[in-house]
Amino acid sequence: MKYAAKRTWPLRSPSWEHEGEAESFKAFATEFAAVERLGADGEFVVIDKSSDEAESRFFRVVTIAPYQVEETEPRSSAPAPEAGQTEGAQPAAEQDYSSALRPAISMLVYMGKVAVIAVAVITIAAFGIGYIKDLLA
């Protein structure tokens, strides 16, 4: 039977990453995890491309030496992908990346505020020291 697979967590892949043939969903899922070197707790979806009705199943990597997978429920509330869907997953992928960037953006804004305050304090200190120096001279 022909199958296709792509990652769904922690990063969502916009297109099918691996296609091939296998005896069962689980055999193909184990092969995909090993070929892509997925980490433990990584999740992905496998679909059956040989039938008219695109049956899909979600799997999670349990162990990586040797690779073992188990069938699971999807982490996100997004509907299961269709067989021909490659472009439709793009907004979800962009959404995942933007949520991953939020902590970095927040840190950059915080560091910008700290830099502005530091420059202001140093400037005021310089004028204060100059004033005290003129007063004592």
Side-chain angles (χ1 to χ4, degrees):
M1 300 178 91
K2 293 184 178 185
Y3 297 99
K6 67 179 178 178
R7 289 173 240 210
T8 58
W9 192 88
L11 297 176
R12 182 176 293 232
S13 176
S15 62
W16 297 107
E17 298 178 69
H18 188 70
E19 295 184 29
E21 294 185 12
E23 303 252 337
S24 66
F25 272 100
K26 190 164 187 163
F28 187 79
T30 305
E31 175 188 334
F32 174 69
V35 167
E36 295 296 325
R37 296 183 179 187
L38 300 180
D41 207 32
E43 291 186 6
F44 55 96
V45 63
V46 175
I47 65 158
D48 179 6
K49 293 186 83 172
S50 61
S51 67
D52 291 335
E53 296 179 22
E55 180 184 356
S56 63
R57 295 185 187 173
F58 289 86
F59 289 91
R60 180 175 63 89
V61 177
V62 179
T63 61
I64 59 172
Y67 275 98
Q68 291 181 340
V69 296
E70 70 178 16
E71 206 164 328
T72 185
E73 292 295 318
R75 254 180 225 245
S76 67
S77 59
E82 297 298 323
Q85 180 184 8
T86 56
E87 302 300 322
Q90 187 64 27
E94 288 174 4
Q95 201 171 28
D96 288 345
Y97 294 129
S98 66
S99 66
L101 287 176
R102 283 191 184 129
I105 292 170
S106 176
M107 181 197 64
L108 289 174
V109 168
Y110 174 75
M111 294 304 289
K113 289 177 184 178
V114 168
V116 168
I117 292 171
V119 167
V121 168
I122 291 170
T123 304
I124 291 171
F127 281 119
I129 291 172
Y131 178 73
I132 292 172
K133 184 178 172 185
D134 288 342
L135 221 103
L136 295 176

